[in-house]
Amino acid sequence: MNNHITFHPSDEVIVSICRQDTNICKLINKIGPLTLKTNGNHFEALVMSIIGQQLSAKAASTIRQRVKMLCGEITPERVLDTPIENFRSTGVSRTKIEYIFDLCNKVHSNEISFTNFHLLENEIVINLLTSVKGIGRWTAEMFLIFSLGRLNVLSLGDAGLQRATKWLYQLEDRPKNNYMEEVSMNWHPYYSIVSLYLWKSIDLGFVDNFPTIEDVN
C-alpha cells in the first residue's frame, strides 16, 4: 500500500529542524510544504530500483512500464514464472535480470522477509538488502526512505545531496565531495526530511540557477 506524508512549515518536526539549522530553515521557507510518497509494495520497489540503475529517468520509466505490462503484478512468483528472454525484450539487461532473480530467490527462501522489516533498525535492513546481488548501500537507503518511510536516513553517498549541501552552506571544494558530514549533525533525527528538501532544491533549479539561497525569489 502506498502512503503520503506531507510536511508543512508549521509542523512540529519542521519547527524543530528550523531551530537546529537556520540554513535548512531558509530552504524550507522557500519551498514550503513537501510530500514523501512511499511504495508499500517492498518487492516491487526493489525490482524497480534495480531496473533503474545507471539509466536516465526517461529510459527507466519506459522499461519499468514494460515490465509491469509483462508481469502484471510484480511479485516473486510472477517474476520467476516469466522467461528470461521475455524480460530481455522489455530492455532489462541480463545482469539486472540476474539481480532480480537473486532477490526473488532470497525472498522465497526467507533469507529476506519483508513482513518484519518495519521492526528492524536501519542498519539491519541495509545489511539484509545488500546481501542481494546488485543492491548496494545507496539503493538500500532509498528503500528505507521511499518504501519504509523512515525519517532518519542520511545517504552520504548521494551525489545530489552532497551538491545541494555544498550550495546551501556555500562550502569550499573538498576531496571526495564530502560536504554533509560536517553540517548534518544538526539534522538528526530528521535526516530524510532534510534530504527531501535538498533534493527538491535541485529539482526546482535553485542549485543550478542561484548563487545562494538568499538569491532565490
Side-chain angles (χ1 to χ4, degrees):
M1 183 178 68
N2 296 337
N3 191 24
H4 293 177
I5 309 170
T6 299
F7 303 101
H8 297 271
S10 60
D11 291 345
E12 184 177 340
V13 294
I14 300 298
V15 171
S16 176
I17 292 169
C18 283
R19 287 198 197 103
Q20 294 171 201
D21 193 306
T22 56
N23 287 289
I24 293 296
C25 191
K26 291 175 185 177
L27 182 62
I28 290 171
N29 287 332
K30 293 287 185 181
I31 293 175
L34 208 56
T35 299
L36 169 61
K37 300 177 182 179
T38 60
N39 183 353
N41 185 332
H42 299 333
F43 177 78
E44 178 185 279
L46 289 171
V47 169
M48 296 299 130
S49 292
I50 291 170
I51 289 172
Q53 290 173 0
Q54 299 179 319
L55 293 177
S56 69
K58 183 177 181 180
S61 177
T62 297
I63 295 173
R64 285 166 177 157
Q65 289 303 316
R66 290 174 184 166
V67 170
K68 287 180 179 180
M69 290 181 65
L70 175 67
C71 296
E73 186 181 2
I74 308 296
T75 65
E77 295 75 22
R78 289 285 183 89
V79 171
L80 290 173
D81 286 342
T82 302
I84 289 177
E85 288 309 314
N86 290 7
F87 267 112
R88 288 289 295 120
S89 69
T90 66
V92 182
S93 69
R94 289 192 182 276
T95 301
K96 290 181 181 178
I97 292 170
E98 180 185 351
Y99 297 161
I100 293 168
F101 274 61
D102 187 54
L103 173 63
C104 288
N105 290 328
K106 284 185 167 62
V107 171
H108 261 294
S109 65
N110 283 323
E111 290 179 58
I112 292 178
S113 173
F114 297 118
T115 305
N116 296 321
F117 262 31
H118 65 288
L119 300 174
L120 303 178
E121 295 181 0
N122 289 350
E123 284 301 318
I124 295 176
V125 174
I126 289 171
N127 288 336
L128 285 169
L129 292 181
T130 54
S131 71
V132 177
K133 292 179 182 178
I135 294 182
R137 185 176 183 88
W138 181 86
T139 298
E141 289 167 342
M142 295 306 105
F143 177 87
L144 286 170
I145 297 171
F146 295 105
S147 285
L148 295 184
R150 299 284 172 91
L151 301 184
N152 59 336
V153 179
L154 180 63
S155 183
L156 292 173
D158 188 280
L161 292 180
Q162 293 286 3
R163 184 160 68 94
T165 300
K166 179 187 179 185
W167 168 79
L168 181 63
Y169 292 85
Q170 294 295 289
L171 300 173
E172 299 289 336
D173 289 346
R174 294 181 180 177
K176 300 180 180 178
N177 295 323
N178 184 8
Y179 301 103
M180 282 196 289
E181 284 192 1
E182 176 186 329
V183 298
S184 61
M185 63 182 70
N186 294 324
W187 307 346
H188 178 77
Y190 303 115
Y191 295 129
S192 305
I193 300 175
V194 173
S195 296
L196 291 173
Y197 276 95
L198 289 170
W199 280 318
K200 194 68 175 179
S201 72
I202 296 175
D203 293 342
L204 293 174
F206 292 179
V207 176
D208 292 325
N209 298 308
F210 297 94
T212 70
I213 185 64
E214 283 79 11
D215 296 302
V216 176
N217 45 35

